[in-house]
Amino acid sequence: MGRATDGNGPTRSRERFLQGEAVEAGVRVPISNSWQRCRALGLSPDQPGLPFRDDFERDARIVRAAGPVLDRLQSWFAGSRMNIALADGDGTVLLRRFGETSLARSLPAFQRVPGFVFAEQYAGTNGIGLALAERQLVQVYGAEHFAERAQGNACRALPVRDPISGRIEGVLCLGYPRSAEDPALAGVIRRAARAIERRLLGQSSERERALLRTYLDTSAETAAGPHHSVGVGELTLGMRPCDRAILMEKAVELISCAQRAAVRVALSDGRRVTLVSRPMTTATGVEGFVTEAILPGPAPYEPLLVPWAAEEPVRLTLVPAGAPSAAVPVPAATGLVPLRAEGPGAVPSAVDVPDGARPGSPDPANPPARGLVLVGEPHVGRYALAARRRLELLTDASTRIGTTLDVRRTAEELAETAVPRLADYVTIDLPEAVLRGEEAADPCSDLYRTVVHGIRDDCPFDPVGKRTDYGPATPHQRCLTSGQAVLEPDLRSAMGWIDHDPLRAETLLDQLSSLVAVPLVARGVILGVAVFYRGQHHAPFDDDDRSLVQELAGRAALSIDNARRYTRERSMVLALQRSLLPQGLPDQDAVDVAHRYLPAESDVGGDWYDVIPLSGTRVGLLVGDVVGHGMLSAATMGRLRTAARSFAELDFSPDEVLTHLDNLVGRLDREDPDAGGAGVFGATCLYAVYDPTTQQCTMARAGHPPPALVRPDGTVSFPDLPAGPPLGLGGLPFEAVDIDLPENSRLVLYTDGLIEGRDRDVDVVLDRLRDVLAHPERTPDEICETVLDTVAPVHPHDDIALLVARTHALAPERIASWDLPADPALVSDVRAAALRQLADWGLEEAGFAAELMLSELVTNAIRHGSGPVRVRLLHGRTLICEVSDRSNTAPHLRRAASTDEGGRGLFLVAQLAQSWGTRYIRQGKVIWAECGLDAA
């Protein structure tokens, strides 16, 4: 079915698969598995083009080996619609050849040039991706391709392996129209892949090839060592990459030891592999070692290819016990299983069977697989091992250094990475300015000990925090001056280091033998100095170590500089944020207030709060949160806080204030040229207005968490306020709710950073907050401290703004009010009653101003308003005169001309009052004037 060229069979199966039906019975297993992986990856059959890499190595080892082979293939397929591709082990196409030159022009762009990635996770089911997944020869026909664009093609692909390590170096792929299918292509691609593998082997050193030939010759002639394949990769197709890496590392260690050895290596799945190392000498005198692996489980019986000096490889077939007499006979006493040899120049070989699989054991016909892992010379092995460990250290450093944006912690990570694999002790000195996020004015002399880390804690280095001064001849100063790492292989002969502090140096010499001092330089800026020490029990540092230390310090310096720059920017944003928050609490009698602002550890956001005195002894409480972090959020917060305060001081109700803020945020979105109409701003807000004369609080919120309300008896609740949409969505209304707050109630307003987090359950946090607040005896300051200590996350990922208000009530004896009909004749009665009340309050000196203001305000209300008039006097920090009526018309202050008979009333009120204004209520309006008592 999969081989149909008319598209019927595989097309129907693929359509059923895409519709979610089972198609396993009609599709080859590798194709079905690949389709399943593609669906799990979320790939689409009509997905756009493939990813392109322009950073691939154009002169890679596999490219040099495969170039001539692909040229011969191109000549072989000249005139056909064959396209030949070579990809690396990640699926990136490295080479392209075409049978017809015009074919390149007719193909899509992703099929013409090298650099496009055909890995399965990007391209779906295709020859290159499937060969990497299956690690063997694969064939993909027409509709077996996952992508629609490849439906008219077929291809064969085969992995190309390194003959020594067995690692897949690349994939050779032949692509052609479905109508050009030919079974002979399988043989063609196999021979081409073998030719590339032979050329890869030819790129290894002559000495390695000589050792390999000697190993093969010795194994064949003396039957001393089995080699079912060259390269442990052929024997470990089912192994995990980490297991193969462990085997290669152990093989290098055995060769570098330069002695006969055997070691048992535990794999990640619990199995154990035996590695055996033995010496070998070539006919030309090259001395080396070979490492073989004995793997658990039966060996495969299919032919295995072993590269040989001849043009064609030798084909060795493992034969079970009791095989036909065509096998080469071997004496039974040797415990060997015979091998059949095929191919030109073939030499028979044999397999040494472990005791458990010798004749008479449970299954002598299935001995464990055994094959070559590595050949090499001991000193080369030592260099390879050292290079590998250095590379591992640098790789580890790239993941361990710079995990945070904290300067001090990044320096500690550098020391922790180097100890104990590279050094026994590490000290790092940084200028104090760098720790603050600034550039040091004199980094060579303004250094403080920042990190001391080592295998032991008793080494007498200068303690952390101490200022360090170095003499001109010390390695520390020399490296800072030259900008290069300074090596002192023998500290006893390093006079500059000893003369700087002879007493301390004598103590340190009992434990230390050598050092490397390296400057921490990033982007041309000197950030400090790091010194790596080795003890007496280790070999001293050498030039290779110095190069490694310099590379390690360079990488760490970049991370430290990134942390420094981040610290500076964060300090700037935090300074801006704090400058835009209230710098003090205003004078008012309605509530006692305490507040806290806690910035996030990673970045500063846009959380804010405000306390706004309002007319009639009322007070407004605001808490808000701007979406995002950084300078933009802080600046947006400042704009919103200023606007919110302005709207509140105009005596708008809470829902009206949120409506105006919503319009403002929407306008900021539209005005931002980078927003593209999508909206970049967003905020939440909660606004509450408390009136101590009525002990009532009016609240409204825009997507913000509800406040916590603590009654005088300690009962804690979270009022069910209408949530309202976040600011900036526009078009949706906000709803205000009135709540009675008895005197000595606590109102706790906060932002979402207090209760939310990546690993926090909001309901659990709210229960904890409820328990903390259930203590009515605590002051607002004590509540703030307790909440931050017990409820706030230890490492906050978002800002936290907290505002706690304890309510007061204005005593009834400080409130006087009169209701009167709209009759001008009653104005004099009101004036007289007000003067008597002022005398009772001991405010006779304010009588003249109050009498005149009330006369003008009441007269205007009767003349221009409607309905009954209410007059109220409030004795708080100031004397407040209020006149209300049921009209919504607002008075306007104007300057009357000299010829006008009226129009001077409000002008007189404005001159006599400390402040005055108008606020609207549910039925009508209130005109108020405030007179300072000290002036009276």
Side-chain angles (χ1 to χ4, degrees), residues 376-639:
E377 299 173 78
H379 68 279
V380 176
R382 283 192 291 271
Y383 288 141
L385 185 59
R388 180 184 182 88
R389 288 176 175 171
R390 290 186 174 114
L391 180 60
E392 289 175 348
L393 178 61
L394 292 176
T395 302
D396 193 25
S398 65
T399 59
R400 292 187 60 184
I401 300 176
T403 59
T404 68
L405 288 172
D406 180 81
V407 174
R408 192 182 303 275
R409 179 58 193 151
T410 304
E412 292 173 350
E413 290 170 343
L414 168 60
E416 292 169 358
T417 302
V419 176
R421 289 188 290 178
L422 178 61
D424 293 331
Y425 299 94
V426 175
T427 63
I428 300 176
D429 303 329
L430 301 176
E432 188 177 9
V434 172
L435 296 173
R436 296 195 305 266
E438 306 168 2
E439 290 187 10
D442 187 7
C444 295
S445 59
D446 185 27
L447 294 171
Y448 289 84
R449 180 57 47 85
T450 306
V451 175
V452 177
H453 183 68
I455 57 177
R456 295 169 57 184
D457 297 331
D458 58 349
C459 205
F461 293 106
D462 287 336
V464 172
K466 182 179 179 181
R467 184 187 179 96
T468 54
D469 295 315
Y470 299 119
T474 59
H476 313 70
Q477 193 65 37
R478 284 155 50 201
C479 78
L480 289 172
T481 303
S482 64
Q484 300 294 323
V486 174
L487 168 64
E488 290 288 358
D490 184 5
L491 289 180
R492 294 190 177 276
S493 61
M495 298 310 299
W497 179 75
I498 295 176
D499 293 342
H500 174 65
D501 192 348
L503 295 178
R504 187 181 298 273
E506 186 63 29
T507 304
L508 290 172
L509 284 174
D510 293 337
Q511 302 184 41
L512 307 178
S513 64
S514 62
L515 69 80
V516 176
V518 58
L520 298 173
V521 183
R523 303 179 180 94
V525 178
I526 297 178
L527 303 175
V529 60
V531 186
F532 298 74
Y533 298 89
R534 276 187 183 169
Q536 300 288 349
H537 59 287
H538 279 163
F541 287 110
D542 56 21
D543 288 331
D544 289 337
D545 295 320
R546 176 174 57 184
S547 300
L548 177 61
V549 165
Q550 185 133 355
E551 174 69 19
L552 186 63
R555 297 188 181 193
L558 285 175
S559 296
I560 292 175
D561 191 51
N562 289 337
R564 178 190 67 82
R565 290 168 176 257
Y566 168 77
T567 300
R568 180 185 61 186
E569 293 178 3
R570 184 176 187 275
S571 299
M572 294 172 57
V573 175
L574 186 57
L576 173 63
Q577 170 86 347
R578 292 192 183 280
S579 68
L580 295 174
L581 291 174
Q583 301 303 305
L585 295 177
D587 294 333
Q588 46 80 36
D589 295 325
V591 292
D592 294 332
V593 179
H595 55 84
R596 296 292 187 276
Y597 170 73
L598 183 64
E601 279 194 353
S602 58
D603 206 352
V604 179
D607 291 15
W608 52 285
Y609 58 88
D610 208 347
V611 179
I612 308 170
L614 301 176
S615 64
T617 69
R618 299 171 305 135
V619 64
L621 304 174
L622 269 166
V623 171
D625 183 4
V626 176
V627 172
H629 297 85
M631 189 74 71
L632 178 61
S633 295
T636 304
M637 177 275 291
R639 299 167 75 176

Side-chain angles (χ1 to χ4, degrees), residues 655-780:
D655 54 323
E656 290 177 316
V657 170
L658 295 183
T659 300
H660 287 296
L661 288 177
D662 181 59
N663 295 333
L664 173 63
V665 173
R667 186 164 61 252
L668 293 177
D669 275 336
R670 293 190 296 271
E671 292 175 353
D672 189 344
D674 298 326
V680 296
F681 296 112
T684 64
C685 185
L686 171 64
Y687 182 36
V689 175
Y690 174 69
D691 188 345
T693 64
T694 62
Q695 300 178 43
Q696 191 174 68
C697 184
T698 304
M699 290 183 279
R701 63 184 179 123
H704 201 84
L709 176 59
V710 185
R711 299 286 179 176
D713 60 357
T715 304
V716 181
S717 63
F718 297 93
D720 187 16
L721 304 180
L727 300 177
L729 295 183
L732 298 175
F734 300 96
E735 185 177 350
V737 173
D738 293 332
I739 298 177
D740 292 328
L741 289 185
E743 188 173 12
N744 288 323
S745 297
R746 272 74 167 173
L747 189 62
V748 182
L749 286 68
Y750 51 88
T751 55
D752 56 5
L754 177 67
I755 60 174
E756 295 180 0
R758 299 172 184 171
D759 53 353
R760 311 185 83 200
D761 188 320
V762 174
D763 293 333
V764 174
V765 177
L766 289 177
D767 289 340
R768 189 185 311 166
L769 179 61
R770 188 191 307 271
D771 294 339
V772 170
L773 295 179
H775 296 276
E777 72 281 359
R778 290 175 177 167
T779 65

